[in-house]
Amino acid sequence: MGSIKSTLSDRQAVWAFVLGCVAVTIGVVAHLPMFAMARAMNYRLAGMTMDGMMIGGMALIVLGTLVAAYGLLPRDLAAQRSAAANIVVAAPEDAQLGPAHWGLMAVLVVALIIDVMKPASLGFTVPGMVAEYGVAKKTVSLVPFFALAGTVTGSVLWGWIADVYGRKASILLSAVMFVGTSICGAMPSLAWNIAMCFMMGAAAGGMLPVTYALLAEMMPNRHRGWSLVLVGGMGAVGGYFAASGMSAVLQPLFGWRILWLANLPTGLTLVLLGALIPESAKFLLARGRVAEAEVVMRRFGATARTTSPAMATPTLSSQPLQGVHLYGKLAALSICALSWGLINFGLLLWLPADLVAKGYSVGVSSRLLAESALIAFPTVFVAALLYSRWSTKWALATMIAVTLAGLLLVLRLELAGSGSPVLPVALLIVGTNGIIAIVLPYAAESFPLRVRGRATGWVAACTKAGGLIAQGLTISGVALSMGTSALLVMVPTALSFVLVAWFGLETRGRDLRTLD
């Protein structure tokens, strides 16, 4: 309760946030009667007319989200932003991890699992959408395409929101939006599903950057790299496992729509988890709440300092940026990120539909993919160990190699025409989740300070660009088999392996100031 009070104090109106959450929840519940009435039709709602209760519920969701956002808005923003510009909060280099650090990591893993589960569910809803709406695969591709476009928008928007609202409040606002997007499960038209998936993507797009920002502020420097890899990897694998597991258990009983309706309880769970997430010390200091900031910093062993504009400007910033090694690193990580997007939002997203087309039932195909995710789960710890104890460069190269092995086995599976997809998919999940867990922390440690933010942001954008390319090809009518897709994706993936091995920089134990 003390944590909730600390987060909601000094905001425009606590009652407005609570009222907004209640309004969004009621708006979602207003859609459930139509879903329940469709039970006799195997929960098929296509072509049905939305009643007044549903339309009123949609209005409540929009209004409730805006009211909640207003309620969380801090007072006197101009003074806060001016103060925050000169405050740096960081943990000492050699600080030990305590219960507060482990607790924060555990809560953020659960938050990321809930976050990743939303876009991961897209692949498991595609077969049901194609069957119910009676449209071509390229038309249904608009759903993941707009969801990815939403994540791109959210990645940009949520960085600004986190600076204005604070890390913790931005996670709460994201959770409220998640609750609202659960009405996808009751939308009778494909167009409404596309619109709501864009909103879902916008809510999900900023969760990972906000999580990384919060961890970077709270974790000691020598533990930062592996903790980012561990939290990001466990969130990614856990999210895919949660999506596939829910699909295996619930979709045979309630149809594909139940995967969207699950956003209601999981979103509310994320709101409640907010009580366990500490408020950002930098945000508290910028608000003038020094005593509360000192309590947070004591728990995490962090310190704060004030910088001047002269101190914040690197002495080498006026020198021209040049060097084939610098641009080689950027090309290597960009192609790696692009390959990840092609696999995660292309190959893996369409895999459930491909298995159904091969004769597997929805329940069986979801169970097989859940087994693959379960096999992949322990490898997240291996990735974190390799990154922190062995080599940052070769840990990334190893995950790219595992991904290549998965692509080869998918190609072999397609050529053979039979066999279990568990091992190929497990390798793909291991490799791709290892890549996404490592590539952004590694990018942040591989570039000079003067271009670090831009370079890392560019690599993050490439992960989304790969998915947009994959869905754009499907929308344009380019129909590729799973084997052909695996063969084509192997080209940039192999190229990224060569470039990382050639241009990659070993960053383990290195003082990043030497990059400048």
Side-chain angles (χ1 to χ4, degrees), residues 349-425:
L349 191 145
W350 289 112
L351 193 57
D354 185 70
L355 291 176
V356 170
K358 290 182 181 300
Y360 293 96
S361 68
V362 171
V364 170
S365 63
S366 298
R367 180 176 57 79
L368 289 173
L369 297 178
E371 290 174 358
S372 302
L374 191 60
I375 292 172
F377 191 77
T379 61
V380 175
F381 298 93
V382 176
L385 184 64
L386 293 176
Y387 190 85
S388 62
R389 299 294 183 183
W390 175 44
S391 165
T392 55
K393 168 184 174 177
W394 292 108
L396 177 60
T398 298
M399 292 304 157
I400 298 173
V402 172
T403 304
L404 276 171
L407 291 171
L408 279 170
L409 288 183
V410 168
L411 178 61
R412 178 178 176 276
L413 187 67
E414 288 292 306
L415 293 176
S418 61
S420 172
V422 171
L423 181 58
V425 175

Side-chain angles (χ1 to χ4, degrees), residues 107-147:
V107 172
L108 291 180
V109 165
V110 176
L112 281 181
I113 287 174
I114 294 173
D115 176 68
V116 171
M117 187 174 63
K118 314 305 180 188
S121 297
L122 285 169
F124 299 97
T125 62
V126 164
M129 286 186 179
V130 171
E132 179 171 341
Y133 290 117
V135 294
K137 181 179 177 181
K138 66 178 183 179
T139 304
V140 174
S141 294
L142 290 169
V143 175
F145 181 84
F146 275 90

Side-chain angles (χ1 to χ4, degrees), residues 216-263:
E217 183 178 306
M218 300 295 191
M219 301 300 291
N221 291 342
R222 70 189 182 98
H223 297 293
R224 185 176 302 158
W226 70 260
S227 64
L228 291 176
V229 172
L230 185 63
V231 170
M234 289 183 69
V237 175
Y240 193 86
F241 175 73
S244 56
M246 288 181 63
S247 177
V249 174
L250 298 179
Q251 195 169 169
L253 300 175
F254 301 102
W256 62 271
R257 295 178 177 274
I258 195 65
L259 298 182
W260 295 137
L261 292 174
N263 286 9

Side-chain angles (χ1 to χ4, degrees), residues 145-215:
F145 181 84
F146 275 90
L148 285 170
T151 63
V152 174
T153 304
S155 296
V156 176
L157 181 63
W158 233 252
W160 175 81
I161 289 175
D163 288 337
V164 172
Y165 281 82
R167 314 293 188 217
K168 181 173 179 177
S170 64
I171 292 175
L172 291 177
L173 188 57
S174 173
V176 173
M177 292 179 66
F178 277 147
V179 174
T181 59
S182 61
I183 62 171
C184 269
M187 291 291 100
S189 72
L190 182 61
W192 275 113
N193 272 288
I194 292 172
M196 295 308 298
C197 276
F198 178 85
M199 182 177 173
M200 179 200 69
M207 184 69 79
L208 194 60
V210 171
T211 300
Y212 277 177
L214 189 59
L215 277 175

Side-chain angles (χ1 to χ4, degrees), residues 13-95:
V14 175
W15 62 264
F17 173 69
V18 176
L19 182 63
C21 290
V22 172
V24 171
T25 304
I26 293 175
V28 173
V29 172
H31 290 71
L32 298 182
M34 177 172 279
F35 177 78
M37 287 188 294
R39 179 180 179 182
M41 299 178 291
N42 294 320
Y43 299 100
R44 297 169 68 97
L45 302 177
M48 296 179 68
T49 304
M50 290 193 293
D51 57 21
M53 184 181 293
M54 292 181 69
I55 295 174
M58 293 178 67
L60 272 177
I61 289 172
V62 175
L63 183 62
T65 302
L66 294 176
V67 170
Y70 167 77
L72 286 174
L73 190 66
R75 300 169 187 163
D76 196 6
L77 280 176
Q80 171 193 320
R81 301 191 73 178
S82 176
N86 297 323
I87 297 174
V88 176
V89 176
E93 180 72 33
D94 297 321

Side-chain angles (χ1 to χ4, degrees), residues 278-321:
E279 186 58 272
S280 165
K282 180 177 180 178
F283 175 82
L284 292 172
L285 289 171
R287 299 296 302 171
R289 294 156 62 181
V290 178
E292 294 173 75
E294 288 177 347
V295 170
V296 173
M297 288 190 292
R298 271 199 305 272
R299 287 181 59 205
F300 290 91
T303 57
R305 71 177 190 274
T306 303
T307 62
S308 66
M311 292 172 61
T313 304
T315 56
L316 299 179
S317 61
S318 60
Q319 294 184 4
L321 180 64

